Amino acid sequence: SGRAGAPITFMSYPGEWAIIDWSNQGDNNGDHRVWFDGADYIHFRNFEIYESPNQCVFMYNNASDNLFVNMVFKDIAQASFTFIRQA
C-alpha cells in the first residue's frame, strides 16, 4: 500500500499508452486481473486493460483510497470493477 500524500502510481510513460492484454490467456482461472488485496492509495493512470476473462480490477479486504484516471477497459468478460468488503 501507499500512503496519503505518497501513493504508489502505475502509469504509462509520458507520450505512450500502455496496455495490459490478456487476449491470449483463453481460460477463466481467476488469475487474469489486477488484484488489490487490502491495498490502499494505489493510483492507475493512462492505460488500457484488454480482454480480461475475469473482473479486470478486483478489490477486496477493504482496499480503499485507490484512484483510476483516464483508463480504458475493452472486451471484458465480467465486470470491469469488483469490490468486496470483508471484516
Side-chain angles (χ1 to χ4, degrees), residues 21-40:
D21 182 352
W22 281 297
S23 63
N24 291 323
Q25 298 306 309
D27 62 354
N28 192 7
N29 68 9
D31 293 334
H32 312 306
R33 57 183 146 205
V34 178
W35 289 79
F36 290 88
D37 184 355
D40 302 324

Side-chain angles (χ1 to χ4, degrees), residues 2-3 12-13 31-32 40 54 57 62 65-67 69:
R3 298 181 315 276
S12 296
Y13 189 79
D31 293 334
H32 312 306
D40 302 324
N54 292 294
V57 177
N62 298 318
D65 297 298
N66 297 303
L67 178 67
V69 177

Side-chain angles (χ1 to χ4, degrees), residues 43-54:
H43 293 183
F44 274 67
R45 295 178 183 275
N46 306 325
F47 67 90
E48 177 178 318
I49 299 178
Y50 180 69
E51 283 198 23
S52 175
N54 292 294

Side-chain angles (χ1 to χ4, degrees), residues 49-85:
I49 299 178
Y50 180 69
E51 283 198 23
S52 175
N54 292 294
Q55 305 91 351
C56 65
V57 177
F58 187 73
M59 296 183 194
Y60 66 110
N61 286 338
N62 298 318
S64 64
D65 297 298
N66 297 303
L67 178 67
F68 296 85
V69 177
N70 200 24
M71 301 287 299
V72 174
F73 301 95
K74 285 186 176 176
D75 299 326
I76 307 303
Q78 296 181 27
S80 293
F81 287 89
T82 301
F83 302 94
I84 298 176
R85 183 175 184 94

